[in-house]
Structures are given as C-alpha cells and as structure tokens.
Amino acid sequence: GRDALAAVGSAYTLMTFLTSIFLGLSLGSGALFSIYKGRGDEKTLKSSVFHAFVLILAAFAAAVKIDTFAYLPVQDFGNAFSTFVAQNYGAGNKDRIRLGTKQAFKMSILFSLVISALVFIFAAPLMGIFVDYSAQDVIAAGVRYLRIEGSFYCGIGCLFLLYGYYRAVNHAEMSVVLTVISLGLRVALAYLFSGFIGVTGIWISIPIGWVLADIVGILYMSVEQKRLDTPVILILI
C-alpha cells in the first residue's frame, strides 16, 4: 500500500547514509592499497591493510543490522575505475590513466543511456512490482519520477567515476566537495522549484544537482589531467 511505500522511501535516506559511510571507508582504503601496490611498497601496504581492518571493525556491528543494499551498476563502474586509476597512479603510468579514463566515461555513459531508456519505457510495470495497480495515482506519480530522474542516469554515472578518480589520486576531499554540491544544490533547488511547479520540482532538482557536480568535477579534473599531461578533452570525445 501507499503507506508502506512511503515508509520504505523514508527509510531509504537513512540506509543510504549509513551504508555510504561504511562503503566509503572500505573504498577509500582500497584506493590507498592500490597506490602502494602500484609503487611496489609491500611493507606500507601490509600496514595499511591492518589499520583499515581496525578502523572498519567500530562499524561492522552496526552494518550487519542494516539490510543488504544493492547499489546501481554505474557505481560499480566507479569503484572498479578507482582501483584501476589508483594502481596506475602509484606506478606512475600516466598513459594508462588517460586511456582508462576515456574508456570508463564512454562505457558508463553508454550503459546509463541504455538503462535510462529501459526505465523510461517500463516505468509503469516497475512501479507495479511495489504498488498495487489499483492505486493508479501512486503509480502515476512514480512513473513521472522515474521518467524525469531516470532519464539522467548518465549524470550520476559520471559522478561515480569522478568520485573514484579523486579517491584514486589522493584527492578524496574533492569527492566530499562534489557530494556537497550534488546534495546541497538538490535541497536548495528542490525548495525553490517546488514553490513553482510542485513536487515535480523536487524530482527535477536531482539530475540538476548531478550535472552541476559533474561540471565542477570535470573542470577540476582538467587541472589534474594537465598536471599528469593528460588532456581532459580526451575524456569527452
């Protein structure tokens, strides 16, 4: 029913917040491991693994109480990309970073476009999995949401790659900045737009937040890529 669906939607934010903390700890450690592995520094690598286990262990007890949360495939692209960049960053292999970055963005955008098309076409049947078809007003609202937000999965796909890139090159603070931009602008724009176009304005604010964070991330990446002698224009071709 609609009450149960609303409850799940409310719990989603808390679940995402908690699991993101634990996932962030693990992924941040993984990027550091890859850097030391790429440098061939086995002693520091072993020390880092030990400290990471100690850090993540004050979190495991709470994590097992939270239901398993399935992350979108585009986030997995970002995770794999982070490991790839970190190892080559540690090894000083700039050419592989350039080529891998170009290919990763192409793959993520292409996959996201395919998923967006499928969600747009099958929005109503997907809603029918969770809501009885007799609740047509609920299904209609969900379909509008899926077709607005789901049409821009390439935005979140690129954002996950940017998160992975900055973790890998020891600029994890940029991942935080991009998250603040994405979520912060989403809240501000949702408040602004909802006053004019209602709840649809809240949904529109989500992809806008993604895209604006992508722009900032890519602009900053251009500075990093110049430092690595890797033109960012290659990423976008």
Side-chain angles (χ1 to χ4, degrees):
R2 64 185 68 191
D3 291 339
L5 182 65
V8 172
S10 299
Y12 168 83
T13 302
L14 178 61
M15 289 177 61
T16 302
F17 173 73
L18 293 173
T19 53
S20 293
I21 292 175
F22 307 134
L23 184 65
L25 289 171
S26 300
L27 293 177
S29 301
L32 192 62
F33 300 162
S34 298
I35 291 174
Y36 292 133
K37 179 66 175 178
R39 291 176 181 172
D41 190 347
E42 296 293 330
K43 182 178 180 181
T44 307
L45 173 60
K46 292 178 181 178
S47 176
S48 298
V49 170
F50 172 77
H51 285 92
F53 270 106
V54 172
L55 176 64
I56 296 171
L57 185 61
F60 179 75
V64 294
K65 297 178 182 179
I66 302 173
D67 291 336
T68 303
F69 186 81
Y71 286 89
L72 294 174
V74 287
Q75 187 170 18
D76 291 330
F77 285 162
N79 298 341
F81 178 62
S82 180
T83 301
F84 170 83
V85 173
Q87 186 168 357
N88 286 283
Y89 179 76
N93 196 331
K94 302 175 184 178
D95 290 336
R96 289 200 73 202
I97 292 178
R98 173 184 59 81
L99 181 61
T101 300
K102 179 180 177 180
Q103 292 177 342
F105 271 80
K106 283 184 175 180
M107 289 173 58
S108 182
I109 291 173
L110 178 60
F111 182 86
S112 297
L113 290 174
V114 172
I115 295 300
S116 290
L118 292 174
V119 168
F120 190 91
I121 295 171
F122 298 106
L126 288 172
M127 282 296 299
I129 296 174
F130 304 100
V131 182
D132 190 273
Y133 278 105
S134 62
Q136 289 298 315
D137 55 340
V138 177
I139 290 181
V143 167
R144 286 199 303 272
Y145 168 80
L146 288 174
R147 287 180 173 171
I148 291 174
E149 192 244 14
S151 296
F152 296 92
Y153 284 146
C154 57
I156 190 64
C158 291
L159 191 55
F160 282 136
L161 290 179
L162 291 169
Y163 288 154
Y165 174 85
Y166 288 120
R167 287 196 307 266
V169 298
N170 267 339
H171 282 297
E173 70 279 0
M174 271 304 297
S175 295
V176 177
V177 170
L178 296 182
T179 301
V180 170
I181 292 173
S182 176
L183 296 180
L185 286 177
R186 180 189 307 179
V187 173
L189 292 174
Y191 180 81
L192 177 65
F193 292 159
S194 62
F196 295 98
I197 53 179
V199 70
T200 302
I202 300 176
W203 302 334
I204 292 175
S205 68
I206 297 175
I208 292 178
W210 293 341
V211 172
L212 291 178
D214 287 339
I215 292 173
V216 173
I218 290 174
L219 288 176
Y220 190 84
M221 180 187 280
S222 66
V223 177
E224 278 296 305
Q225 294 288 351
K226 286 179 181 178
R227 188 172 68 83
L228 295 173
D229 297 322
T230 310
V232 74
I233 191 65
L234 293 176
I235 298 172
L236 307 177
I237 297 176

